[in-house]
Amino acid sequence: MANEEEEEEASGCISPSSFTLLVSCPSALSPSQVSVAFCDTYDRIPHPDIILENSISQIWEQRAQNNKSLFNGKKFRYGGYTLHNGSGSDPEHHLCIHLGLTDYRTFVGTNLSPVWERFLVPSEDDPVLCQHTSSPLGNGAVVETLDKKILVLQRSNNVGEFPGHFVFPGGHPEPQEIGITSHQHDKELTESTNSDVSREMFDSIIREVVEEIGVPPSSLVSLSYVCNMWFFPFE
């Protein structure tokens, strides 16, 4: 009999056991309950194995040659979170997401590498476990129609990851949308930058839904943050 991994590969399906729920709250969070700490502390740490580190460029070049539609771009890197449970005079939950910078090239060369497990560090702490991977922050929307249907899309066969899979509308918050190309070390700008990044997390999912489904932004309501989730294996 085929084991679970072989059946998964043959069917093209992804097992629910591949996903790890990092944080969830009793109820969805509004944008005012979600903040960001954007800092180079949460950037990826290069792997000490030079050969493994150099494989990132090799994998990217190979995949880019085979798929001319691939292009590199900056992404926010997920580096953990802090959850403040409501209590006392402030009963609301507040979530702070820790973000650094990465790019799509490094994502392809680490998270999507055939040897992705070699980039992991043995640890129960997820940010430490994945300190050598790109781990770009993605987003996905659960879109419910007025007649209580949930929308899913089928990915193109000409994409860098999970071609042909059925998915929720989504993508990535984009640093360039808010003018971020590198880290700024001006403390006076830190608060405004964190606010801009937090807003981009929510603005980006609206853009993705509008672009991928074709609905007008005015038709979307109840934008809320539901959960953080890791996906393993990466490919």
Side-chain angles (χ1 to χ4, degrees):
M1 294 180 64
N3 62 30
E4 184 177 341
E5 290 184 0
E6 290 171 340
E7 290 176 351
E8 219 175 282
E9 183 176 352
S11 65
C13 296
I14 300 173
S15 169
S17 63
S18 298
F19 295 87
T20 300
L21 188 63
L22 296 179
V23 58
S24 63
C25 299
S27 60
L29 303 181
S30 68
S32 64
Q33 294 173 269
V34 181
S35 62
V36 163
F38 177 63
C39 179
D40 57 6
T41 301
Y42 307 117
D43 285 0
R44 172 183 174 268
I45 299 174
H47 199 282
D49 184 332
I50 299 301
I51 295 177
L52 184 60
E53 187 69 13
N54 288 341
S55 73
I56 296 173
S57 296
Q58 296 167 0
I59 290 173
W60 171 255
E61 291 170 3
Q62 181 180 28
R63 296 191 69 162
Q65 287 177 358
N66 295 333
N67 187 346
K68 300 300 182 182
S69 67
L70 292 183
F71 65 95
N72 194 18
K74 292 289 185 181
K75 303 294 178 186
F76 292 112
R77 181 180 184 274
Y78 177 78
Y81 70 92
T82 304
L83 178 64
H84 300 282
N85 294 315
S87 62
S89 60
D90 185 9
E92 291 188 332
H93 294 275
H94 292 273
L95 177 69
C96 179
I97 302 177
H98 306 159
L99 297 179
L101 270 182
T102 185
D103 56 35
Y104 191 71
R105 166 187 166 276
T106 310
F107 171 56
V108 170
T110 59
N111 296 74
L112 297 186
S113 169
V115 294
W116 61 268
E117 290 175 295
R118 292 179 57 191
F119 284 97
L120 303 183
V121 176
S123 175
E124 295 296 322
D125 185 353
D126 291 308
V128 175
L129 172 72
C130 297
Q131 65 183 10
H132 300 308
T133 64
S134 175
S135 304
L137 180 72
N139 57 33
V142 179
V143 181
E144 183 181 31
T145 62
L146 290 176
D147 57 351
K148 305 301 181 182
K149 300 293 194 303
I150 300 295
L151 297 179
V152 294
L153 307 172
Q154 186 172 20
R155 288 177 63 80
S156 165
N157 288 318
N158 194 35
V159 293
E161 69 273 8
F162 307 117
H165 280 69
F166 288 95
V167 295
F168 292 123
H172 300 270
E174 301 291 354
Q176 66 268 23
E177 287 287 337
I178 51 176
I180 291 179
T181 57
S182 62
H183 288 286
Q184 301 293 327
H185 297 284
D186 187 337
K187 292 184 178 180
E188 294 182 1
L189 296 177
T190 298
E191 186 173 343
S192 62
T193 299
N194 287 344
S195 178
D196 290 343
V197 176
S198 180
R199 185 172 61 253
E200 167 60 12
M201 286 199 309
F202 287 92
D203 289 349
S204 64
I205 193 58
I206 294 176
R207 288 197 308 270
E208 297 290 352
V209 170
V210 171
E211 292 172 5
E212 296 182 2
I213 297 179
V215 297
S218 59
S219 68
L220 302 176
V221 296
S222 302
L223 183 64
S224 303
Y225 187 95
V226 178
C227 66
N228 280 5
M229 186 178 293
W230 279 122
F231 170 66
F232 291 103
F234 292 112
E235 183 174 37

